Amino acid sequence: MARAAIFAAGCLTSVAAQAQKLPAGFVYLRDIDPTIIQDIRYAGSNNFVGRPLKGYEAAECVVKREVGRLLRSVQEELAPQNLSLKMFDCYRPARAVADMVAWSRDGRETPAQKRYNPSFRKADLFRLGYIAERSGHSTGAALDLTLVDLKVDNSAAFDSTKDYADCTANVNLRAPEGSVDMGTGYDCSDVKAHTAAKSIAPAQRRWREKLVQAMARRGFVNYSKEWWHFSLPGAGGQAYDFPISSRK
């Protein structure tokens, strides 16, 4: 019995230690709702920088607890429609934001990077409002996400060796994202990615409206230049710089 008690106490201590990896008020979204799909793009190479950003040690969505609970509520609304949220980015360490800034000023333009900003020089992305030197993501209250239609085949995977069309091209030509067609790819720095863009098809506009409305019912506000970006007013606060590490 004594050994069992010691073992149980050790397990509880281990669980508590894991829980304490995050600052107070932050949670792993998987612990709130494991059904929400995650494709944390800055933890890999499938992003506009072409490599993992600093601070992304694991492909995990970390958010403020209140934000996680509201996302679970959105997911519960979508589930009967055979739809799911898909997270592209959640909490973003301040060091990752600084990494983006350094990237924008390195003076290099590669074909892979141009897939994400086909009409602009990357040095102009801050001036045009596509990248910010201080990001709401670093507070844990901003999110990048999309919708997934669970009734269709979403198995197509990104191939880093393939020469995809830019993010404004037809969905069959640009890099696959395993989600509904929103008219552009994620992180597309282009007027076509503006939420109310007139240059997209009616079906694409309906998907955007469905996402915006579902999020708005829980208090989330969309950023007009990015159909994928949402924030929860009042849930932010200070910016953090702790790295995103594995849950276990």
Side-chain angles (χ1 to χ4, degrees), residues 124-135:
D124 294 330
L125 297 179
F126 284 93
R127 177 178 60 81
L128 295 171
Y130 292 105
I131 300 177
E133 292 195 31
R134 291 180 176 82
S135 173

Side-chain angles (χ1 to χ4, degrees), residues 48 108-118 163-166:
F48 65 89
R108 297 190 298 270
E109 298 271 6
T110 70
Q113 292 170 357
K114 289 299 291 182
R115 289 208 310 265
Y116 293 89
N117 53 310
D163 185 22
Y164 295 108
D166 74 60

Side-chain angles (χ1 to χ4, degrees), residues 231-248:
S231 58
L232 185 64
Q238 74 178 86
Y240 289 79
D241 191 34
F242 62 90
I244 302 169
S245 57
S246 176
R247 286 169 62 241
K248 296 182 180 178

Side-chain angles (χ1 to χ4, degrees), residues 1-31:
M1 293 293 292
R3 287 184 178 179
I6 292 171
F7 177 76
C11 288
L12 289 173
T13 300
S14 176
V15 170
Q18 289 180 10
Q20 292 171 0
K21 287 182 180 179
L22 299 178
F26 282 85
V27 295
Y28 287 100
L29 183 60
R30 292 188 198 278
D31 293 333

